[in-house]
Amino acid sequence: MTEHVPDVSVVIAVHDTMPYLTACLDSLVGQSIGHRRMEVVAVDDGSSDGSTEELARYAAAHPGLFRTLRQPASGGPAKPTNRGTELARGRYLLYLGADDWLGSEALERMVDAADRWDSDVLIPKQVGEHGRIVPQGIFDRTAERVGFTDSALAWALGDTKLFRRDLVTNHGLRRREDLVIHSDQPFTLGALLHARKVSVLADYDYYHLVLRRDRSNVTHRAGPMDRLRGFTAAHEVLDRSTLPGPARDAVRARYFSWDVPQLLQAPFLDEPPAMQRRIVQEIGRFTERHCSPAVFRTLPVPARLRLALARRGELLALCDLIAWEQDHGEAAPSGAAPSSTPPTRCSATGGSACPTPCSRPAAPPARTAGAAWCPHRCAAPGGPSSARCAGPGGTAWPPP
């Protein structure tokens, strides 16, 4: 007898997600696609907060819909997600966070669109709940086909998507289980780069991403070194699967304009000095290896300031910059273009490396719109918007 193959398998990695898990499971029970066309594969990764019992309660109440498995806690979502993928039987896979939930028509609409368009990956519109920030650029329109160069696809690397199961199995796509966080990004990037067609549905609120009120989501409590390991894994996939060109640059620009600079914001100042030095060293190496001059020139000025200081290992100047911005705002308008005029040299040293602390004022002088602050706080930016400190070694600041 031929085994029934559901249209879609919803894979959930569960670890201590009560009370949010209940809303997640309720949203699946109420799907308009009907229980015969779907299955839920839930892998309990050593929960101890009642999640195990909640899964059992739903499985008993809805026989045939839920398939549950319990395993020892692994320390991250990768291992239970891989196990759930192995157990899934559906033509499509949807990965759902155990604290997130779906709109009631989500699965039916997604499967119908993927079948109609023959999509390998389909990105449903996602919205944030309880203050969760979700980039919306990719959802400006419904589109049968999108790519890295004609859409905001580079900003949609989470696994909150519908994947054709054959795409995942034929290419051996798995989460790296050594990654505490961001194991979904190299997985998703690999799927997007191998897909024949990537589509977007922006006509309905399909996927609701929840920020827990205590901010205990793994995404919000992972450390900077864990994040950097995830970023590195994604770039390894990018290097293996693409040639130099616009698509690769689009992904690079996403990481170096947002993800990496976010590690050098106010929380960085709370890290022990030894950890600060380690973070700066690793970011410098990562930038040196993966951020080409062409990509660097496209980045917002605040990102360039941070990356250049990290690359040069100027920890004290970087801390000064972050601390000053806490009181005064960003060092330059986001996206400000570098001046083509000759730079003004640092007033403290005539253009050579500033000592730290250098002979800067207690607060930088007023600057006109468009001027970028020298990280050494010299007086150079106080002149016209074209004035730039030459920075360490006499190099134009921000670096070209």
Side-chain angles (χ1 to χ4, degrees), residues 238-283:
L238 188 65
D239 291 342
R240 287 197 305 267
S241 305
T242 65
L243 295 173
R248 179 184 286 188
D249 285 352
V251 179
R252 300 268 205 240
R254 170 250 164 92
Y255 278 94
F256 287 105
S257 66
W258 177 254
D259 297 273
V260 180
Q262 283 298 299
L263 303 181
L264 299 173
Q265 300 293 340
F268 175 80
L269 300 179
D270 298 327
E271 297 284 354
M275 179 56 70
Q276 289 180 343
R277 287 191 292 273
R278 185 180 176 194
I279 293 168
V280 167
Q281 183 180 52
E282 291 303 317
I283 289 177

Side-chain angles (χ1 to χ4, degrees), residues 15-28:
H15 177 75
D16 290 350
T17 51
M18 290 296 288
Y20 304 95
L21 179 61
T22 302
C24 172
L25 301 180
D26 279 342
S27 76
L28 295 174

Side-chain angles (χ1 to χ4, degrees), residues 6 16 18 54 64 69 73 86 113 129 160-161 166-167 179 197 211 223 233 289 305 343 360:
D16 290 350
M18 290 296 288
E54 190 76 339
L69 173 71
E86 294 166 1
E129 302 289 345
T160 50
K161 300 170 176 58
D166 285 348
L167 172 74
L179 297 178
K197 183 186 288 186
L211 176 62
R289 180 175 180 181
L305 288 170
R360 60 185 181 274

Side-chain angles (χ1 to χ4, degrees), residues 102-181:
L102 299 179
S104 61
E105 301 175 15
L107 293 180
E108 183 176 18
R109 286 170 173 254
M110 283 189 279
V111 169
D112 289 352
D115 282 345
R116 183 169 66 251
W117 290 334
D118 196 26
S119 307
D120 279 342
V121 180
L122 187 141
I123 308 173
K125 183 180 178 182
Q126 298 153 29
V127 295
E129 302 289 345
H130 303 160
R132 180 78 174 264
I133 296 174
V134 181
Q136 292 295 305
I138 191 67
F139 305 123
D140 60 348
R141 62 188 176 90
T142 290
E144 181 177 347
R145 185 186 298 272
V146 297
F148 286 107
T149 60
D150 61 4
S151 73
L153 185 58
W155 293 86
L157 298 184
D159 65 358
T160 50
K161 300 170 176 58
L162 191 76
F163 299 87
R164 189 177 296 275
R165 186 163 66 93
D166 285 348
L167 172 74
V168 173
T169 57
N170 290 346
H171 292 283
L173 300 176
R174 292 175 58 84
R175 275 75 170 170
R176 274 184 43 178
E177 296 180 5
D178 61 321
L179 297 178
V180 175
I181 187 175

